Amino acid sequence: MRGCWQWPAARRPGRAILCAALLLALGACSPRQLIVGSLADELAAQGAGAEDDLELARDAAPYHLKLSEAVLARQPQHAALAQAVAAGFTQYAWAFVAFDAEQIEERDAAAAERLRQRAAALYLRAWRHAATALAGAPEALPALLAGDWQPAPAQVGLAYWAAAAWGARIALSKDQPEIVADLPLAIRLAERAAQVEPDWGRGALHGLLASFEAGRPGGDLRRAAAGFERAIALAQGQLAAPYVAKAEAIALAAGDRAGFEALLRQALAVRERSAGGDGSQEGDALANEIMRRRARWLLGRADDLF
Protein backbone atom coordinates (compact mmCIF):
# COMPACT_ATOMS: atom_id res chain seq x y z
CA MET A 1 0.00 0.00 0.00
CA ARG A 2 0.94 3.63 0.12
CA GLY A 3 1.88 4.08 3.72
CA CYS A 4 4.19 2.23 6.10
CA TRP A 5 6.04 -0.67 4.49
CA GLN A 6 7.54 -3.75 6.14
CA TRP A 7 9.14 -6.48 4.08
CA PRO A 8 10.90 -9.76 4.86
CA ALA A 9 14.64 -9.36 5.19
CA ALA A 10 16.43 -11.51 2.61
CA ARG A 11 19.63 -11.19 4.63
CA ARG A 12 18.75 -13.50 7.51
CA PRO A 13 17.03 -16.66 6.22
CA GLY A 14 19.33 -19.06 8.06
CA ARG A 15 18.05 -18.37 11.54
CA ALA A 16 14.39 -18.76 10.56
CA ILE A 17 15.11 -21.99 8.64
CA LEU A 18 17.06 -23.39 11.59
CA CYS A 19 14.19 -22.57 13.94
CA ALA A 20 11.74 -24.24 11.56
CA ALA A 21 13.91 -27.36 11.40
CA LEU A 22 14.13 -27.51 15.18
CA LEU A 23 10.38 -27.13 15.43
CA LEU A 24 9.80 -30.10 13.16
CA ALA A 25 12.32 -32.20 15.10
CA LEU A 26 10.83 -31.57 18.54
CA GLY A 27 8.02 -33.75 19.78
CA ALA A 28 7.52 -32.61 23.36
CA CYS A 29 4.73 -30.07 23.77
CA SER A 30 6.41 -27.58 26.09
CA PRO A 31 9.74 -27.27 24.24
CA ARG A 32 7.82 -27.06 20.96
CA GLN A 33 5.84 -24.10 22.26
CA LEU A 34 9.06 -22.40 23.29
CA ILE A 35 10.52 -22.88 19.83
CA VAL A 36 7.32 -21.74 18.12
CA GLY A 37 7.27 -18.65 20.30
CA SER A 38 10.89 -17.87 19.50
CA LEU A 39 10.27 -18.37 15.80
CA ALA A 40 7.21 -16.11 15.96
CA ASP A 41 9.31 -13.39 17.60
CA GLU A 42 12.01 -13.77 14.95
CA LEU A 43 9.61 -13.69 12.01
CA ALA A 44 7.81 -10.65 13.40
CA ALA A 45 11.15 -8.89 13.90
CA GLN A 46 12.14 -9.64 10.30
CA GLY A 47 9.17 -7.62 9.06
CA ALA A 48 11.40 -4.71 8.05
CA GLY A 49 14.45 -5.19 5.87
CA ALA A 50 17.00 -3.01 4.12
CA GLU A 51 16.64 -4.96 0.85
CA ASP A 52 16.19 -2.81 -2.25
CA ASP A 53 16.34 -5.54 -4.93
CA LEU A 54 12.72 -5.87 -6.01
CA GLU A 55 13.09 -9.22 -7.73
CA LEU A 56 14.89 -10.76 -4.76
CA ALA A 57 12.22 -9.41 -2.41
CA ARG A 58 9.47 -10.72 -4.68
CA ASP A 59 11.00 -14.19 -4.83
CA ALA A 60 11.62 -14.35 -1.08
CA ALA A 61 8.24 -13.03 0.04
CA PRO A 62 6.03 -16.13 -0.61
CA TYR A 63 8.25 -18.44 1.47
CA HIS A 64 8.48 -15.90 4.27
CA LEU A 65 4.71 -15.30 4.24
CA LYS A 66 3.81 -19.00 4.23
CA LEU A 67 6.22 -19.78 7.07
CA SER A 68 4.98 -16.79 9.06
CA GLU A 69 1.35 -17.79 8.48
CA ALA A 70 2.04 -21.36 9.62
CA VAL A 71 3.70 -20.14 12.81
CA LEU A 72 0.87 -17.67 13.42
CA ALA A 73 -1.60 -20.56 13.27
CA ARG A 74 0.22 -22.05 16.28
CA GLN A 75 0.60 -18.67 18.03
CA PRO A 76 -2.70 -16.91 17.19
CA GLN A 77 -2.30 -14.43 20.06
CA HIS A 78 1.08 -13.17 18.79
CA ALA A 79 -0.01 -9.66 17.80
CA ALA A 80 3.34 -8.59 16.35
CA LEU A 81 3.43 -11.60 14.02
CA ALA A 82 -0.20 -11.08 13.03
CA GLN A 83 0.65 -7.51 12.08
CA ALA A 84 3.69 -8.61 10.09
CA VAL A 85 1.67 -11.27 8.24
CA ALA A 86 -1.18 -8.85 7.45
CA ALA A 87 1.31 -6.23 6.29
CA GLY A 88 3.22 -8.74 4.18
CA PHE A 89 0.19 -10.08 2.32
CA THR A 90 -1.15 -6.57 1.72
CA GLN A 91 2.16 -5.26 0.42
CA TYR A 92 2.85 -8.30 -1.76
CA ALA A 93 -0.61 -8.06 -3.33
CA TRP A 94 -0.31 -4.32 -4.00
CA ALA A 95 3.33 -4.06 -5.10
CA PHE A 96 3.46 -7.14 -7.29
CA VAL A 97 0.14 -8.81 -8.10
CA ALA A 98 -2.11 -5.76 -8.54
CA PHE A 99 0.68 -3.77 -10.16
CA ASP A 100 1.26 -6.58 -12.67
CA ALA A 101 -2.46 -6.37 -13.52
CA GLU A 102 -2.18 -2.65 -14.21
CA GLN A 103 0.83 -3.14 -16.45
CA ILE A 104 -0.76 -5.78 -18.67
CA GLU A 105 -4.32 -4.41 -18.72
CA GLU A 106 -4.11 -2.89 -22.19
CA ARG A 107 -2.70 -5.96 -23.91
CA ASP A 108 -4.40 -8.78 -21.98
CA ALA A 109 -7.52 -7.72 -20.09
CA ALA A 110 -8.45 -11.29 -19.14
CA ALA A 111 -5.07 -11.98 -17.55
CA ALA A 112 -5.24 -8.64 -15.76
CA GLU A 113 -8.63 -9.55 -14.31
CA ARG A 114 -7.27 -12.86 -13.01
CA LEU A 115 -4.44 -11.01 -11.30
CA ARG A 116 -6.87 -8.54 -9.75
CA GLN A 117 -8.94 -11.41 -8.39
CA ARG A 118 -5.80 -12.95 -6.92
CA ALA A 119 -4.81 -9.63 -5.37
CA ALA A 120 -8.31 -9.25 -3.88
CA ALA A 121 -8.03 -12.72 -2.34
CA LEU A 122 -4.65 -11.83 -0.82
CA TYR A 123 -6.07 -8.61 0.61
CA LEU A 124 -8.90 -10.61 2.16
CA ARG A 125 -6.36 -13.00 3.65
CA ALA A 126 -4.42 -10.07 5.13
CA TRP A 127 -7.60 -8.53 6.53
CA ARG A 128 -8.64 -11.79 8.18
CA HIS A 129 -5.31 -12.12 9.99
CA ALA A 130 -5.42 -8.53 11.26
CA ALA A 131 -9.13 -8.64 12.13
CA THR A 132 -8.67 -11.88 14.06
CA ALA A 133 -5.87 -10.34 16.10
CA LEU A 134 -7.99 -7.24 16.77
CA ALA A 135 -11.36 -8.82 17.51
CA GLY A 136 -10.82 -12.55 18.09
CA ALA A 137 -12.53 -13.43 14.79
CA PRO A 138 -12.96 -11.53 11.50
CA GLU A 139 -16.74 -11.47 11.74
CA ALA A 140 -16.51 -9.81 15.18
CA LEU A 141 -14.75 -6.68 13.93
CA PRO A 142 -17.78 -4.98 12.28
CA ALA A 143 -19.73 -5.41 15.52
CA LEU A 144 -16.93 -3.76 17.49
CA LEU A 145 -16.86 -0.87 15.04
CA ALA A 146 -20.59 -0.39 15.46
CA GLY A 147 -19.89 0.60 19.07
CA ASP A 148 -17.35 2.94 20.61
CA TRP A 149 -14.47 0.45 20.49
CA GLN A 150 -10.99 1.76 19.78
CA PRO A 151 -7.78 -0.23 19.25
CA ALA A 152 -5.32 -0.22 22.12
CA PRO A 153 -2.14 1.76 21.44
CA ALA A 154 -0.29 -1.49 20.74
CA GLN A 155 -2.98 -2.44 18.17
CA VAL A 156 -2.78 0.68 16.01
CA GLY A 157 -0.51 -1.03 13.48
CA LEU A 158 -2.90 -3.97 13.24
CA ALA A 159 -5.80 -1.58 12.73
CA TYR A 160 -3.87 0.25 10.00
CA TRP A 161 -3.17 -2.93 8.05
CA ALA A 162 -6.70 -4.25 8.52
CA ALA A 163 -8.11 -0.99 7.16
CA ALA A 164 -5.58 -0.82 4.33
CA ALA A 165 -6.25 -4.40 3.19
CA TRP A 166 -10.00 -3.84 3.53
CA GLY A 167 -9.89 -0.70 1.42
CA ALA A 168 -7.62 -2.27 -1.20
CA ARG A 169 -9.98 -5.22 -1.62
CA ILE A 170 -12.97 -2.89 -1.93
CA ALA A 171 -11.14 -0.90 -4.62
CA LEU A 172 -10.82 -4.08 -6.70
CA SER A 173 -14.44 -5.15 -6.12
CA LYS A 174 -16.47 -2.28 -7.54
CA ASP A 175 -18.84 -4.75 -9.22
CA GLN A 176 -19.64 -6.50 -5.91
CA PRO A 177 -21.98 -4.26 -3.87
CA GLU A 178 -21.80 -6.49 -0.80
CA ILE A 179 -18.05 -5.86 -0.58
CA VAL A 180 -18.22 -2.15 -1.46
CA ALA A 181 -20.79 -1.71 1.31
CA ASP A 182 -18.00 -2.25 3.85
CA LEU A 183 -16.17 0.94 2.83
CA PRO A 184 -17.60 3.00 5.74
CA LEU A 185 -16.36 0.32 8.15
CA ALA A 186 -12.85 0.38 6.70
CA ILE A 187 -12.80 4.17 6.98
CA ARG A 188 -14.13 4.00 10.54
CA LEU A 189 -11.39 1.56 11.52
CA ALA A 190 -8.70 3.88 10.18
CA GLU A 191 -10.33 6.83 11.94
CA ARG A 192 -10.45 4.96 15.25
CA ALA A 193 -6.75 4.12 14.90
CA ALA A 194 -5.99 7.77 14.15
CA GLN A 195 -7.84 8.83 17.29
CA VAL A 196 -5.41 6.72 19.31
CA GLU A 197 -2.17 7.55 17.50
CA PRO A 198 -2.73 9.93 14.56
CA ASP A 199 0.91 10.16 13.48
CA TRP A 200 1.54 6.40 13.48
CA GLY A 201 3.90 5.13 10.80
CA ARG A 202 5.40 8.57 10.06
CA GLY A 203 2.19 9.71 8.44
CA ALA A 204 0.91 6.36 7.16
CA LEU A 205 -2.49 6.78 8.80
CA HIS A 206 -2.84 10.31 7.43
CA GLY A 207 -2.04 8.97 3.96
CA LEU A 208 -4.53 6.12 4.27
CA LEU A 209 -7.31 8.40 5.46
CA ALA A 210 -6.50 10.85 2.66
CA SER A 211 -6.75 8.02 0.12
CA PHE A 212 -10.10 6.99 1.56
CA GLU A 213 -11.34 10.59 1.45
CA ALA A 214 -10.24 11.07 -2.16
CA GLY A 215 -11.71 7.76 -3.27
CA ARG A 216 -15.06 7.70 -1.52
CA PRO A 217 -18.19 9.01 -3.26
CA GLY A 218 -18.52 12.71 -2.52
CA GLY A 219 -15.06 12.88 -0.95
CA ASP A 220 -13.50 16.26 -0.13
CA LEU A 221 -10.36 16.56 -2.26
CA ARG A 222 -9.12 19.57 -0.31
CA ARG A 223 -9.31 17.60 2.91
CA ALA A 224 -7.60 14.67 1.22
CA ALA A 225 -4.82 16.93 -0.09
CA ALA A 226 -4.26 18.27 3.43
CA GLY A 227 -3.96 14.70 4.69
CA PHE A 228 -1.34 13.86 2.09
CA GLU A 229 0.59 17.02 2.99
CA ARG A 230 0.57 15.98 6.64
CA ALA A 231 1.88 12.54 5.65
CA ILE A 232 4.64 14.13 3.57
CA ALA A 233 5.62 16.40 6.45
CA LEU A 234 5.75 13.56 8.99
CA ALA A 235 7.89 11.45 6.63
CA GLN A 236 10.44 14.31 6.54
CA GLY A 237 11.35 13.59 2.93
CA GLN A 238 12.32 9.97 3.66
CA LEU A 239 9.36 8.20 2.02
CA ALA A 240 8.29 8.28 -1.63
CA ALA A 241 4.82 6.83 -0.93
CA PRO A 242 2.91 10.01 0.01
CA TYR A 243 4.17 11.85 -3.08
CA VAL A 244 2.97 9.06 -5.37
CA ALA A 245 -0.33 8.75 -3.52
CA LYS A 246 -1.02 12.47 -3.77
CA ALA A 247 -0.06 12.51 -7.46
CA GLU A 248 -2.61 9.80 -8.27
CA ALA A 249 -5.40 10.77 -5.88
CA ILE A 250 -5.27 14.57 -6.20
CA ALA A 251 -3.29 15.82 -9.21
CA LEU A 252 -4.45 13.12 -11.62
CA ALA A 253 -8.07 13.48 -10.52
CA ALA A 254 -7.86 17.25 -11.04
CA GLY A 255 -6.26 16.95 -14.49
CA ASP A 256 -3.18 18.75 -13.16
CA ARG A 257 -0.40 17.26 -15.27
CA ALA A 258 2.27 19.69 -14.04
CA GLY A 259 1.46 18.93 -10.41
CA PHE A 260 1.25 15.20 -11.15
CA GLU A 261 4.69 15.10 -12.74
CA ALA A 262 6.23 17.34 -10.07
CA LEU A 263 5.04 15.05 -7.27
CA LEU A 264 6.32 11.96 -9.06
CA ARG A 265 9.72 13.58 -9.57
CA GLN A 266 9.80 14.37 -5.86
CA ALA A 267 9.18 10.67 -5.22
CA LEU A 268 12.06 9.77 -7.53
CA ALA A 269 14.33 12.19 -5.68
CA VAL A 270 13.73 10.64 -2.25
CA ARG A 271 16.81 8.43 -2.56
CA GLU A 272 19.11 11.45 -2.84
CA ARG A 273 17.49 13.20 0.10
CA SER A 274 17.74 10.14 2.36
CA ALA A 275 21.18 8.95 1.25
CA GLY A 276 22.73 10.11 4.52
CA GLY A 277 20.27 8.05 6.54
CA ASP A 278 18.96 11.03 8.53
CA GLY A 279 15.56 10.02 9.87
CA SER A 280 15.30 6.95 7.64
CA GLN A 281 14.44 3.47 8.87
CA GLU A 282 15.61 0.01 7.87
CA GLY A 283 12.58 -0.82 5.74
CA ASP A 284 12.68 2.41 3.74
CA ALA A 285 14.95 1.14 0.96
CA LEU A 286 12.54 -1.42 -0.46
CA ALA A 287 9.44 0.70 0.13
CA ASN A 288 11.01 3.60 -1.72
CA GLU A 289 12.24 1.43 -4.58
CA ILE A 290 8.71 0.07 -5.05
CA MET A 291 7.33 3.60 -5.15
CA ARG A 292 10.06 4.86 -7.46
CA ARG A 293 9.21 2.04 -9.85
CA ARG A 294 5.57 3.09 -9.79
CA ALA A 295 6.50 6.76 -10.22
CA ARG A 296 8.59 5.96 -13.31
CA TRP A 297 5.75 3.90 -14.77
CA LEU A 298 3.21 6.66 -14.17
CA LEU A 299 5.48 9.29 -15.71
CA GLY A 300 5.86 7.09 -18.76
CA ARG A 301 2.06 6.94 -19.10
CA ALA A 302 1.43 10.65 -18.63
CA ASP A 303 0.45 11.21 -22.27
CA ASP A 304 -2.24 8.54 -21.92
CA LEU A 305 -3.45 9.72 -18.52
CA PHE A 306 -3.94 13.40 -19.48
Side-chain angles (χ1 to χ4, degrees), residues 14 17 40 65 68 77 82-83 90 112 126 147 155 160 169 200-201 208 211 254 280 287:
I17 293 171
L65 287 171
S68 298
Q77 303 306 314
Q83 180 175 324
T90 303
Q155 295 178 313
Y160 170 86
R169 181 178 181 236
W200 181 87
L208 179 60
S211 294
S280 63

Side-chain angles (χ1 to χ4, degrees), residues 34 49 57 78 102 127 129 146 213 289:
L34 289 174
H78 200 293
E102 289 183 274
W127 176 80
H129 286 303
E213 185 65 30
E289 186 56 32

Side-chain angles (χ1 to χ4, degrees), residues 62-247:
Y63 166 78
H64 184 277
L65 287 171
K66 285 296 296 178
L67 176 60
S68 298
E69 194 175 44
V71 174
L72 182 61
R74 292 176 175 269
Q75 293 276 304
Q77 303 306 314
H78 200 293
L81 183 57
Q83 180 175 324
V85 170
F89 275 110
T90 303
Q91 294 159 343
Y92 182 81
W94 187 84
F96 300 121
V97 184
F99 185 55
D100 282 355
E102 289 183 274
Q103 290 179 294
I104 69 170
E105 175 71 40
E106 293 180 358
R107 67 176 184 273
D108 194 337
E113 178 58 25
R114 288 192 294 271
L115 286 169
R116 281 194 293 269
Q117 290 177 6
R118 182 180 178 224
L122 291 171
Y123 290 138
L124 177 60
R125 196 163 171 173
W127 176 80
R128 283 175 173 162
H129 286 303
T132 298
L134 285 169
E139 59 271 16
L141 185 56
L144 285 180
L145 290 169
D148 58 1
W149 171 88
Q150 286 184 329
Q155 295 178 313
V156 170
L158 275 166
Y160 170 86
W161 288 112
W166 213 346
R169 181 178 181 236
I170 290 167
L172 293 182
S173 308
K174 297 295 180 61
D175 59 342
Q176 300 179 63
E178 70 280 7
I179 295 176
V180 176
D182 283 342
L183 179 59
L185 290 174
I187 295 173
R188 191 177 307 162
L189 178 56
E191 289 173 339
R192 297 281 176 86
Q195 289 170 4
V196 177
E197 190 177 343
D199 294 347
W200 181 87
R202 292 182 293 164
L205 267 169
H206 290 285
L208 179 60
L209 285 168
S211 294
F212 278 140
E213 185 65 30
R216 72 177 181 86
D220 185 338
L221 291 184
R222 287 184 295 180
R223 182 181 177 188
F228 286 125
E229 283 303 309
R230 180 60 179 160
I232 289 169
L234 288 169
Q236 297 182 325
Q238 302 302 318
L239 298 175
Y243 294 112
V244 177
K246 186 180 179 185

